[in-house]
């Protein structure tokens, strides 16, 4: 009885593995070599950003009509009296 050797097709698996390695390497190099930034830093014209003199914060949520220019106070998380006045920014 004659035995036939069955050839396995490994080419698609090898090709997909090599492609995955190349894509991963490309992503790592892109992030390391400084690809485009997702958030703009500073002023587009190159000048320094000047913070506002008034340090108070307000909260506005356009989808909620009653939440418009609500004052935000900085206090400990357990300070419920401050939370009753407006929004709370937790210290720390």
């Amino acid at each position: 009885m004659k035995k036939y050797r069955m050839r396995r097709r490994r080419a698609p698996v090898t090709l997909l593995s090599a492609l995955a390695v190349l894509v991963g390497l490309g992503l790592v190099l892109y992030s390391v070599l400084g690809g485009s930034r997702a958030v703009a830093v500073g002023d587009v014209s190159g000048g320094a950003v000047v913070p506002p003199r008034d340090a108070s914060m307000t909260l506005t949520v356009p989808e909620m009509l009653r939440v418009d220019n609500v004052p935000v106070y900085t206090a400990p998380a357990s300070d419920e009296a401050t939370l009753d006045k407006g929004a709370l920014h937790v210290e720390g």
Side-chain angles (χ1 to χ4, degrees):
M1 181 185 239
K2 189 173 183 180
K3 293 184 179 180
Y4 294 98
R5 286 189 174 185
M6 298 293 291
R7 257 184 127 178
R8 293 185 182 178
R9 291 187 163 202
R10 292 187 179 196
V13 173
T14 305
L15 182 63
L16 287 175
S17 298
L19 182 63
V21 168
L22 287 175
V23 168
L25 183 62
L27 288 172
V28 168
L29 287 175
Y30 180 74
S31 66
V32 169
L33 296 177
S36 64
R37 295 176 183 234
V39 178
V41 178
D43 190 12
V44 177
S45 63
V49 177
V50 180
R53 292 190 183 271
D54 185 16
S56 64
M57 296 184 285
T58 60
L59 176 68
T60 300
V61 181
E63 298 295 322
M64 299 174 70
L65 297 177
R66 65 181 183 186
V67 182
D68 187 29
N69 289 326
V70 174
V72 178
Y73 301 102
T74 302
S78 61
D79 190 0
E80 292 186 19
T82 304
L83 185 58
D84 289 337
K85 295 179 195 176
L88 186 65
H89 176 255
V90 179
E91 301 180 314

